[in-house]
Amino acid sequence: VRSQAAVRLDIRLTPEAYRAGSGTPILVTIKLYDAPGRPANGDGLQVTASQGLVDPPEQLEIGVYRTTWRPADHFAGKQKALLIVTIPGGEKILKSDRALRLVADRPAVIEPIEVERSLVADGRSKRQWRLRVLDQFGNPVSDARVRVQAGGTVGPVHYHEIDGEYRFDYTAPLSY
């Protein structure tokens, strides 16, 4: 029995997250199905990714393909990368994607942002400090344990996911 054209595909990533610097390749399994749900033909199957390198897919059996994805260690500020599978067809193109969670490596660099250093030593003058914590590849680290010590008063440190910054309020001491 000849397989029919694919109308549905499933993508499985193992593991489902990549840690910068780990070098762990992502095993990608793609299963194709025809309209009745049987394994389907994948002529012209293409696999690409939003970042990193993807090996050409290998057909294991009818409707089952496997490849390896090697994500890049620098995420360019992204928290997810996409693997895209496309099967060109006559009138229809079957396309689907799967997200891979990107996880920064350990903290390596603390980068202050727009630090204004001038404050009056009066016990009341305040400034909000902003900083980024980056791994060795320049990726923001969202789960760093940030502790700040300084003369004066330091408020709690909060992480702002939208811009990848840690922020805290600093109140100047009575004298320096």
Side-chain angles (χ1 to χ4, degrees):
V1 176
R2 188 172 178 273
S3 68
Q4 299 295 312
V7 296
R8 180 174 66 87
L9 62 93
D10 291 331
I11 305 167
R12 183 173 171 207
L13 305 178
T14 308
E16 294 182 350
Y18 177 76
R19 179 173 293 281
S22 70
T24 304
I26 307 301
L27 180 62
V28 179
T29 305
I30 303 158
K31 293 187 177 182
L32 309 175
Y33 302 96
D34 64 12
R38 298 179 303 236
N41 187 4
D43 291 342
L45 178 87
Q46 299 169 358
V47 184
T48 58
S50 61
Q51 64 105 311
L53 301 172
V54 180
D55 292 341
E58 170 189 2
Q59 184 173 6
L60 301 179
E61 58 189 76
I62 293 176
V64 180
Y65 294 80
R66 185 167 286 158
T67 186
T68 302
W69 178 13
R70 290 173 182 78
D73 290 320
H74 177 70
F75 305 152
K78 305 274 192 256
Q79 294 179 345
K80 292 183 181 181
L82 287 182
L83 182 91
I84 302 112
V85 176
T86 308
I87 302 172
E91 303 161 9
K92 284 178 109 179
I93 294 176
L94 181 60
K95 187 174 186 176
S96 187
D97 59 54
R98 184 73 189 265
L100 176 71
R101 189 168 55 88
L102 301 174
V103 180
D105 196 17
R106 294 182 307 271
V109 176
I110 295 176
E111 185 178 85
I113 303 166
E114 298 176 29
V115 177
E116 188 174 324
R117 297 176 187 251
S118 169
L119 270 180
V120 176
D122 61 5
R124 294 186 314 266
S125 295
K126 268 190 179 179
R127 289 271 188 277
Q128 183 179 73
W129 283 59
R130 300 170 28 223
L131 55 94
R132 283 192 188 98
V133 177
L134 307 172
D135 69 9
Q136 64 179 328
F137 305 103
N139 302 310
V141 178
S142 62
D143 59 352
R145 298 174 90 190
V146 177
R147 242 181 357 162
V148 179
Q149 293 178 315
T153 306
V154 176
V157 178
H158 299 284
Y159 180 71
H160 292 259
E161 193 168 317
I162 294 170
D163 50 21
E165 296 177 358
Y166 290 84
R167 297 179 186 167
F168 62 92
D169 290 327
Y170 171 74
T171 305
L174 287 171
S175 65
Y176 288 107

